[in-house]
Amino acid sequence: MAQNRLMESRVGRNNQRYGAKGERLVAGVVPLSADKTKVLMIQSAGPGGWVLPKGGWETDESTAQQAACREAWEEAGVICTVQKDLGLIPDMRPKTLVTAQAPKASYQFFEVTVDREETEWPEMHKRKRQWVDYDQAATALANRPELLEALNRSSLRR
């Protein structure tokens, strides 16, 4: 699949897809090294340390896979190949954290292999990236249960 690699990130939620219950549809990746011993994590745009690349699935993307690979490019600067659908993961935040700015979401994650890491990417000025092992990733994602669930569904070696 040819990816268009714009040097600019999409912003806003005008083209955001929503599910039947009004939940925001979010697509993400668990980017693994070829030997499956490391996962690529990125700095969160907000507070919260290190996360997995993810973002809204938009109306001009025919599949969640497309959206997930676009997010991997925009946020982590990687070209990737989907290996496995890790399935749907519900939003696990307490109701008190669900707001108009952070509406309830449904996550669809994909295990991907990183084909190439580019030296320049759309969000390079606001996000660093780093390869970590399972224990480091699990610790970093302890307060993000939906991301930890995606990590645990992947074939990353523990």
Side-chain angles (χ1 to χ4, degrees):
M1 167 181 83
Q3 293 179 339
N4 74 359
R5 290 186 208 102
L6 301 173
M7 280 306 286
E8 183 171 303
S9 293
R10 295 183 178 201
V11 292
R13 296 206 174 138
N14 298 345
N15 299 318
Q16 172 67 53
R17 284 182 190 252
Y18 292 91
K21 296 185 190 124
E23 71 280 19
R24 185 169 167 247
L25 300 182
V26 175
V29 296
V30 180
L32 301 185
S33 58
D35 64 2
K36 298 186 176 177
T37 61
K38 301 274 189 207
V39 60
L40 186 67
M41 296 188 72
I42 58 167
Q43 272 183 317
S44 172
W50 295 87
V51 295
L52 297 168
K54 59 164 182 39
W57 175 12
E58 299 193 353
T59 52
D60 65 342
E61 294 166 313
S62 54
T63 66
Q65 281 191 8
Q66 270 186 308
C69 289
R70 175 183 50 79
E71 289 294 340
W73 162 246
E74 289 178 359
E75 296 184 349
V78 296
I79 311 308
C80 60
T81 301
V82 172
Q83 300 299 331
K84 185 161 91 172
D85 184 339
L86 298 174
L88 293 174
I89 299 171
D91 195 327
M92 300 178 200
R93 291 176 296 163
K95 288 193 181 352
T96 52
L97 293 180
V98 176
T99 64
Q101 289 72 40
K104 202 148 190 69
S106 174
Y107 298 88
Q108 180 150 15
F109 273 87
F110 299 91
E111 180 176 310
V112 301
T113 49
V114 173
D115 302 323
R116 216 163 63 237
E117 282 181 70
E118 298 293 358
T119 53
E120 295 186 7
W121 69 95
E123 297 187 15
M124 62 187 280
H125 299 295
K126 61 179 174 185
R127 298 183 193 273
K128 289 185 172 50
R129 60 188 178 194
Q130 68 173 343
W131 287 98
V132 299
D133 64 21
Y134 174 81
D135 290 337
Q136 292 169 292
T139 300
L141 298 176
N143 64 346
R144 297 296 300 272
E146 71 286 355
L147 303 184
L148 183 57
E149 176 65 21
L151 181 74
N152 286 334
R153 289 183 187 184
S154 80
S155 340
L156 180 65
R157 293 215 180 114
R158 283 140 178 88

